[in-house]
Every structure is written in structure tokens, then in C-alpha cells.
Tab-separated table of all heavy atoms in Angstrom:
chain	number	residue	atom	x	y	z
A	23	PRO	N	-4.686	-10.943	-1.086
A	23	PRO	CA	-5.822	-11.479	-1.895
A	23	PRO	C	-5.360	-12.398	-2.892
A	23	PRO	O	-4.264	-12.365	-3.418
A	23	PRO	CB	-6.542	-10.096	-2.485
A	23	PRO	CG	-5.349	-9.238	-2.631
A	23	PRO	CD	-4.450	-9.459	-1.464
A	24	SER	N	-6.214	-13.283	-3.187
A	24	SER	CA	-5.944	-14.234	-4.337
A	24	SER	C	-5.902	-13.608	-5.765
A	24	SER	O	-5.199	-14.050	-6.666
A	24	SER	CB	-6.905	-15.375	-4.332
A	24	SER	OG	-8.167	-14.839	-4.489
A	25	GLN	N	-6.708	-12.419	-5.787
A	25	GLN	CA	-6.768	-11.735	-7.125
A	25	GLN	C	-5.523	-10.890	-7.165
A	25	GLN	O	-5.207	-9.969	-6.440
A	25	GLN	CB	-7.896	-10.955	-7.161
A	25	GLN	CG	-8.055	-10.156	-8.476
A	25	GLN	CD	-8.360	-10.970	-9.772
A	25	GLN	OE1	-8.854	-12.082	-9.550
A	25	GLN	NE2	-8.046	-10.541	-10.821
A	26	GLU	N	-4.576	-11.138	-8.170
A	26	GLU	CA	-3.494	-10.379	-8.478
A	26	GLU	C	-3.489	-9.545	-9.761
A	26	GLU	O	-2.382	-9.343	-10.447
A	26	GLU	CB	-2.206	-11.335	-8.393
A	26	GLU	CG	-2.054	-12.020	-7.030
A	26	GLU	CD	-0.811	-12.795	-6.893
A	26	GLU	OE1	0.061	-12.764	-7.799
A	26	GLU	OE2	-0.436	-13.497	-5.911
A	27	LYS	N	-4.589	-9.205	-10.262
A	27	LYS	CA	-4.714	-8.448	-11.471
A	27	LYS	C	-5.142	-6.974	-11.144
A	27	LYS	O	-5.867	-6.650	-10.205
A	27	LYS	CB	-5.673	-9.082	-12.391
A	27	LYS	CG	-5.198	-10.388	-13.067
A	27	LYS	CD	-6.153	-10.995	-14.029
A	27	LYS	CE	-5.520	-12.268	-14.580
A	27	LYS	NZ	-6.446	-12.769	-15.712
A	28	CYS	N	-4.669	-6.014	-11.965
A	28	CYS	CA	-5.011	-4.764	-11.739
A	28	CYS	C	-6.450	-4.436	-11.876
A	28	CYS	O	-7.063	-4.851	-12.875
A	28	CYS	CB	-4.243	-3.818	-12.740
A	28	CYS	SG	-4.609	-2.041	-12.764
A	29	PRO	N	-7.105	-3.715	-10.756
A	29	PRO	CA	-8.521	-3.519	-11.001
A	29	PRO	C	-8.930	-2.501	-12.010
A	29	PRO	O	-10.087	-2.386	-12.439
A	29	PRO	CB	-8.761	-2.837	-9.604
A	29	PRO	CG	-7.517	-2.182	-9.030
A	29	PRO	CD	-6.447	-3.071	-9.696
A	30	LEU	N	-7.836	-1.810	-12.598
A	30	LEU	CA	-8.170	-0.739	-13.738
A	30	LEU	C	-7.956	-1.355	-15.110
A	30	LEU	O	-8.857	-1.119	-15.990
A	30	LEU	CB	-7.272	0.524	-13.547
A	30	LEU	CG	-7.435	1.273	-12.168
A	30	LEU	CD1	-6.538	2.426	-12.286
A	30	LEU	CD2	-8.882	1.695	-11.990
A	31	CYS	N	-6.951	-2.127	-15.294
A	31	CYS	CA	-6.735	-2.557	-16.666
A	31	CYS	C	-6.525	-4.107	-16.837
A	31	CYS	O	-6.434	-4.627	-17.961
A	31	CYS	CB	-5.288	-1.875	-17.312
A	31	CYS	SG	-3.852	-2.506	-16.549
A	32	GLY	N	-6.578	-4.762	-15.686
A	32	GLY	CA	-6.440	-6.209	-15.695
A	32	GLY	C	-5.070	-6.792	-15.915
A	32	GLY	O	-4.905	-7.999	-15.913
A	33	SER	N	-4.034	-5.939	-15.896
A	33	SER	CA	-2.691	-6.452	-16.111
A	33	SER	C	-2.245	-7.122	-14.773
A	33	SER	O	-2.872	-6.829	-13.728
A	33	SER	CB	-1.763	-5.352	-16.521
A	33	SER	OG	-2.111	-4.877	-17.736
A	34	LYS	N	-1.168	-7.797	-14.798
A	34	LYS	CA	-0.694	-8.496	-13.584
A	34	LYS	C	-0.084	-7.434	-12.643
A	34	LYS	O	0.590	-6.441	-13.092
A	34	LYS	CB	0.442	-9.471	-14.003
A	34	LYS	CG	0.973	-10.300	-12.635
A	34	LYS	CD	1.981	-11.477	-13.207
A	34	LYS	CE	2.525	-12.086	-11.936
A	34	LYS	NZ	1.570	-12.769	-11.171
A	35	LEU	N	-0.372	-7.357	-11.469
A	35	LEU	CA	0.183	-6.547	-10.365
A	35	LEU	C	1.434	-6.995	-9.858
A	35	LEU	O	1.731	-8.149	-9.559
A	35	LEU	CB	-0.925	-6.355	-9.316
A	35	LEU	CG	-2.119	-5.567	-9.573
A	35	LEU	CD1	-3.053	-5.814	-8.374
A	35	LEU	CD2	-1.765	-4.130	-9.896
A	36	GLU	N	2.313	-6.007	-9.577
A	36	GLU	CA	3.675	-6.306	-8.719
A	36	GLU	C	3.114	-6.053	-7.266
A	36	GLU	O	2.479	-5.109	-7.027
A	36	GLU	CB	4.685	-5.333	-9.185
A	36	GLU	CG	6.035	-5.568	-8.339
A	36	GLU	CD	7.135	-4.617	-8.755
A	36	GLU	OE1	6.931	-3.762	-9.608
A	36	GLU	OE2	8.127	-4.755	-8.015
A	37	ILE	N	3.457	-6.946	-6.431
A	37	ILE	CA	3.061	-6.937	-4.987
A	37	ILE	C	4.302	-6.922	-4.091
A	37	ILE	O	5.215	-7.735	-4.203
A	37	ILE	CB	2.143	-8.178	-4.720
A	37	ILE	CG1	0.908	-8.086	-5.591
A	37	ILE	CG2	1.579	-8.097	-3.186
A	37	ILE	CD1	-0.067	-9.201	-5.399
A	38	GLY	N	4.296	-6.081	-3.022
A	38	GLY	CA	5.247	-6.000	-2.010
A	38	GLY	C	4.755	-6.167	-0.661
A	38	GLY	O	3.523	-5.703	-0.395
A	39	GLY	N	5.314	-6.770	0.225
A	39	GLY	CA	4.860	-6.993	1.501
A	39	GLY	C	5.003	-8.403	2.107
A	39	GLY	O	5.662	-9.173	1.484
A	40	PRO	N	4.582	-8.683	3.282
A	40	PRO	CA	3.684	-7.780	4.086
A	40	PRO	C	4.511	-6.586	4.545
A	40	PRO	O	5.687	-6.557	4.606
A	40	PRO	CB	3.225	-8.627	5.332
A	40	PRO	CG	4.246	-9.604	5.373
A	40	PRO	CD	4.769	-9.946	3.987
A	41	LEU	N	3.746	-5.423	4.779
A	41	LEU	CA	4.421	-4.175	5.182
A	41	LEU	C	3.414	-3.356	6.084
A	41	LEU	O	2.292	-3.874	6.288
A	41	LEU	CB	4.858	-3.357	3.923
A	41	LEU	CG	3.841	-3.239	2.792
A	41	LEU	CD1	2.651	-2.349	3.146
A	41	LEU	CD2	4.658	-2.608	1.614
A	42	TRP	N	4.020	-2.241	6.562
A	42	TRP	CA	3.059	-1.445	7.459
A	42	TRP	C	2.255	-0.630	6.609
A	42	TRP	O	2.722	0.187	5.756
A	42	TRP	CB	4.071	-0.492	8.198
A	42	TRP	CG	3.331	0.340	9.311
A	42	TRP	CD1	3.144	1.772	9.088
A	42	TRP	CD2	2.526	0.135	10.357
A	42	TRP	NE1	2.431	2.241	10.194
A	42	TRP	CE2	2.232	1.320	11.109
A	42	TRP	CE3	2.312	-1.265	11.027
A	42	TRP	CZ2	1.350	1.251	12.197
A	42	TRP	CZ3	1.737	-1.160	12.179
A	42	TRP	CH2	1.166	0.060	12.706
A	43	ALA	N	0.932	-0.709	6.827
A	43	ALA	CA	-0.009	0.122	6.025
A	43	ALA	C	-0.602	1.246	6.650
A	43	ALA	O	-1.486	2.017	6.007
A	43	ALA	CB	-1.177	-0.820	5.516
A	44	GLY	N	-0.262	1.484	7.834
A	44	GLY	CA	-0.746	2.599	8.710
A	44	GLY	C	0.042	3.913	8.228
A	44	GLY	O	0.901	3.881	7.415
A	45	ILE	N	-0.089	4.880	9.235
A	45	ILE	CA	0.640	6.263	8.852
A	45	ILE	C	2.087	5.966	9.248
A	45	ILE	O	2.471	5.244	10.114
A	45	ILE	CB	0.025	7.364	9.778
A	45	ILE	CG1	0.203	7.117	11.280
A	45	ILE	CG2	-1.429	7.597	9.456
A	45	ILE	CD1	-0.006	8.447	11.967
A	46	ILE	N	2.954	6.633	8.657
A	46	ILE	CA	4.292	6.678	8.911
A	46	ILE	C	4.966	7.968	9.412
A	46	ILE	O	6.076	8.017	9.707
A	46	ILE	CB	5.132	6.083	7.617
A	46	ILE	CG1	5.011	7.184	6.464
A	46	ILE	CG2	4.759	4.666	7.188
A	46	ILE	CD1	5.834	6.656	5.307
A	47	ASN	N	4.049	9.071	9.371
A	47	ASN	CA	4.468	10.392	9.953
A	47	ASN	C	3.398	10.912	10.719
A	47	ASN	O	2.292	10.898	10.100
A	47	ASN	CB	5.056	11.197	8.854
A	47	ASN	CG	6.371	10.922	8.382
A	47	ASN	OD1	7.278	11.017	9.227
A	47	ASN	ND2	6.578	10.377	7.227
A	48	ASP	N	3.548	11.265	11.978
A	48	ASP	CA	2.606	11.951	12.841
A	48	ASP	C	2.802	13.363	12.678
A	48	ASP	O	3.765	13.973	13.116
A	48	ASP	CB	2.585	11.347	14.236
A	48	ASP	CG	1.651	11.921	15.125
A	48	ASP	OD1	1.175	13.227	15.026
A	48	ASP	OD2	1.146	11.305	16.128
A	49	LYS	N	1.723	14.146	12.280
A	49	LYS	CA	1.888	15.624	12.023
A	49	LYS	C	2.209	16.321	13.300
A	49	LYS	O	3.040	17.289	13.375
A	49	LYS	CB	0.642	16.176	11.385
A	49	LYS	CG	0.234	15.630	9.931
A	49	LYS	CD	1.301	16.075	9.009
A	49	LYS	CE	0.897	15.622	7.510
A	49	LYS	NZ	1.898	16.108	6.525
A	50	LYS	N	1.516	15.924	14.359
A	50	LYS	CA	1.736	16.655	15.687
A	50	LYS	C	3.239	16.481	16.182
A	50	LYS	O	3.809	17.339	16.588
A	50	LYS	CB	0.901	16.136	16.748
A	50	LYS	CG	-0.645	16.351	16.441
A	50	LYS	CD	-1.630	15.971	17.698
A	50	LYS	CE	-3.055	16.386	17.410
A	50	LYS	NZ	-3.898	15.827	18.436
A	51	ALA	N	3.815	15.136	15.936
A	51	ALA	CA	5.107	14.944	16.331
A	51	ALA	C	6.088	15.760	15.386
A	51	ALA	O	7.120	16.325	15.964
A	51	ALA	CB	5.363	13.452	16.118
A	52	LEU	N	5.751	15.952	14.221
A	52	LEU	CA	6.715	16.678	13.186
A	52	LEU	C	6.674	18.107	13.567
A	52	LEU	O	7.792	18.819	13.717
A	52	LEU	CB	6.283	16.614	11.705
A	52	LEU	CG	6.240	15.070	11.155
A	52	LEU	CD1	5.578	15.095	9.753
A	52	LEU	CD2	7.700	14.724	11.072
A	53	ILE	N	5.562	18.657	13.935
A	53	ILE	CA	5.586	20.039	14.530
A	53	ILE	C	6.424	20.223	15.761
A	53	ILE	O	7.080	21.221	15.895
A	53	ILE	CB	4.054	20.455	14.830
A	53	ILE	CG1	3.300	20.531	13.494
A	53	ILE	CG2	4.054	21.863	15.476
A	53	ILE	CD1	1.772	20.692	13.555
């Protein structure tokens, strides 16, 4: 997004990515 300020306090956000935003562990697979 173009907005890079914290939605809670308005401070500047540190941003990382692009990255995987989905699950990284499948519970069934772990079992």
C-alpha cells in the first residue's frame, strides 16, 4: 500500500517483502 504509517500510532512502519503471507505449517502434516 502507499500508506506506510502505523494504523495505531501513526509512526513510520518498517516493511519487509514481498513474502509468503499464507500458512507456513500444516497441522495435519506435522501430526
Side-chain angles (χ1 to χ4, degrees):
S24 57
Q25 180 68 23
E26 296 187 3
K27 291 186 177 180
C28 176
L30 299 183
C31 70
S33 299
K34 185 176 177 61
L35 287 171
E36 182 182 355
I37 302 175
L41 45 68
W42 181 251
I45 68 165
I46 59 173
N47 283 292
D48 183 322
K49 296 292 185 180
K50 291 182 179 179
L52 295 174
I53 292 170

